[in-house]
Amino acid sequence: MSEKYPKLRAELEGVPTYKPGKPAATGGPAAFKLSSNENPYPPLPGVMEQAIAAAGTFNRYPDMACTGLMNELSERFGVPLTHLATGTGSVGVAQQLLQATSGPGDEVIYAWRSFEAYPIITQISGATSVKVPLTDGEVHDLDAMADAITDRTRLIFVCNPNNPTGTVVRRAELERFLDRVPSDVLVVLDEAYREFIRDAEVPDGVEIYRDRPNVAVLRTFSKAYGLAGLRVGFAVAHEPVAAALRKTAVPFGVSQLAQDAAVASLRAEDELLGRVGSLVGERARVVDALRGQGWTVPETQANFVWLRLGEKTMDFAAACEAAGVVVRPFAGEGMRATIGETEANDIFLKTAEAFRKEL
Ligand SMILES: *Cc1c(COP(=O)(O)O)cnc(C)c1O
């Protein structure tokens, strides 16, 4: 049997599969998807018009350099073009960072539990994952992460806010951590939920990276900007790292549709951030209500909430689904629910309340 098929890299064996958030049921009662941290709002009007116009050019390859989007980002963040790189979602960019830094024998450090793409893309690179448990408060244990650095460490992910717990690391502790990281180790600040942060003590990675050549920041259009389906994200990093990202990019990976919609979204930012503000308001309402029901909810700065349910996790997820909302369970650990439409959040809260009474 073995000689019948092409030889594949041994690293691929046992790569965990990425579990996409389960879609909402169709045809049944009201069903809402709160399982992938998507934005519940449809694209802004200007965005749709750009997208439709771009659809007229589908016979052509996209602008490989993403010129329009790169110019817009450069201006917005006050960073040179040479410090920017775009990719097929920020997961695509994260994978390129691993390709550029890590291989067999190297180590990649990240908190656990954190974003489920990290173990997958690390294993594919051939490097070894070093998972550092979150603290009891569900926060990155930056001291333990710094202690885990060895001569083999090539890359460290800091997910801020952390998916799936929503917890953050603040300026002073992050600076102290970065001071301990050797200058030849890349620290990736994954800020997929940056726009939802309201805690002034959480630093903006784009400020942190400026005088730290070993820091790269990942941002995405998938969450607050509501373009998850278009697959576009980017990194802000110093020149050698950004150049390595351009080398490792899939040619023409970011479609013209995605590029033009991203530019239009940035230009509609006021309205977009207004929507984000509404979601932040909903977040406070949901967290307060859950705490009022007696749940322990870690402070979240993202567009989701985390409940550590242990053995009850799958039962809770099933109860939510039966009630019409799909959440994201991690069996034996807990569940993450996205802050969605008010109606969806209400169904989630009602289910949580009933479940709590049964405990
Ligand atoms: C959703 C998410 C991303 C974004 O992924 P895209 O590939 O940009 O859609 C990146 N990091 C984290 C932690 C996320 O939760």
Side-chain angles (χ1 to χ4, degrees):
M1 167 116 166
S2 59
E3 71 276 12
K4 242 175 79 181
Y5 295 104
K7 211 172 186 132
L8 302 176
R9 287 171 57 225
E11 284 90 353
L12 295 186
E13 256 169 62
V15 168
T17 43
Y18 189 102
K19 272 208 201 114
K22 203 169 160 177
T26 49
F32 295 96
K33 185 181 178 206
L34 301 181
S35 55
S36 292
N37 299 340
E38 294 151 335
N39 192 320
Y41 297 105
L44 296 160
V47 175
M48 279 305 274
E49 282 148 25
Q50 275 300 321
I52 289 163
T57 68
F58 279 175
N59 55 317
R60 305 290 178 194
Y61 282 106
D63 171 3
M64 189 158 126
C66 295
T67 315
L69 177 55
M70 293 280 275
N71 285 334
E72 194 84 15
L73 292 171
S74 169
E75 202 168 300
R76 171 157 317 245
F77 292 103
V79 299
L81 283 168
T82 52
H83 286 205
L84 285 166
T86 53
T88 56
S90 53
V91 173
V93 184
Q95 185 155 25
Q96 290 171 244
L97 286 171
L98 280 164
Q99 268 188 300
T101 59
S102 308
D106 296 333
E107 292 173 352
V108 175
I109 298 175
Y110 48 87
W112 200 250
R113 179 170 282 280
S114 186
F115 187 32
E116 71 174 315
Y118 300 156
I120 299 171
I121 59 180
T122 299
Q123 191 166 335
I124 291 170
S125 78
T128 302
S129 280
V130 177
K131 297 178 176 178
V132 178
L134 297 171
T135 66
D136 289 345
E138 314 276 11
V139 181
H140 276 60
D141 188 342
L142 290 178
D143 287 334
M145 289 175 74
D147 291 341
I149 296 171
T150 70
D151 290 346
R152 296 177 163 193
T153 307
R154 295 272 60 87
L155 186 149
I156 305 173
F157 285 111
V158 176
C159 190
N160 202 24
N162 187 47
N163 176 4
T165 58
T167 52
V168 289
V169 297
R170 298 191 171 80
R171 187 172 288 104
E173 54 181 326
L174 183 63
E175 300 263 13
R176 195 169 62 232
F177 169 75
L178 292 171
D179 288 343
R180 284 187 65 189
V181 179
S183 59
D184 62 350
V185 173
L186 181 67
V187 179
V188 180
L189 304 178
D190 185 345
E191 298 187 333
Y193 302 95
R194 171 72 207 163
E195 296 79 5
F196 296 100
I197 294 175
R198 291 295 180 271
D199 180 337
E201 284 306 305
V202 179
D204 179 340
V206 177
E207 296 312 316
I208 296 277
Y209 108 100
R210 288 186 197 276
D211 54 3
R212 293 187 184 266
N214 68 330
V215 171
V217 184
L218 289 181
R219 297 281 182 91
T220 181
F221 286 95
S222 296
K223 305 290 160 53
Y225 286 89
L227 300 179
L230 288 182
R231 313 309 304 128
V232 53
F234 62 97
V236 181
H238 287 266
E239 202 158 340
V241 176
L245 285 173
R246 287 191 286 274
K247 284 183 193 168
T248 52
V250 171
F252 307 109
V254 182
S255 72
Q256 201 62 48
L257 186 70
Q259 295 179 35
D260 293 352
V263 169
S265 295
L266 286 167
R267 292 187 181 159
E269 202 170 38
D270 284 349
E271 192 168 345
L272 220 142
L273 294 181
R275 293 175 171 190
V276 168
S278 304
L279 290 170
V280 167
E282 272 293 282
R283 174 176 78 195
R285 183 178 78 89
V286 169
V287 169
D288 286 351
L290 288 171
R291 288 183 178 153
Q293 294 169 12
W295 295 98
T296 301
V297 189
E299 195 207 315
T300 173
Q301 290 287 313
N303 65 337
F304 50 84
V305 291
W306 170 251
L307 294 181
R308 188 163 283 280
L309 287 145
E311 296 310 313
K312 303 268 191 235
T313 299
M314 299 315 284
D315 289 348
F316 184 92
C320 286
E321 202 165 324
V325 292
V326 184
V327 299
R328 176 70 171 89
F330 298 90
E333 292 180 55
M335 78 86 230
R336 185 192 72 201
T338 307
I339 303 298
E341 303 86 338
T342 305
E343 191 185 348
N345 302 333
D346 283 341
I347 296 172
F348 170 69
L349 285 173
K350 236 175 124 180
T351 312
E353 185 173 31
F355 196 90
R356 181 84 204 168
K357 286 186 179 144
E358 301 272 299
L359 282 184

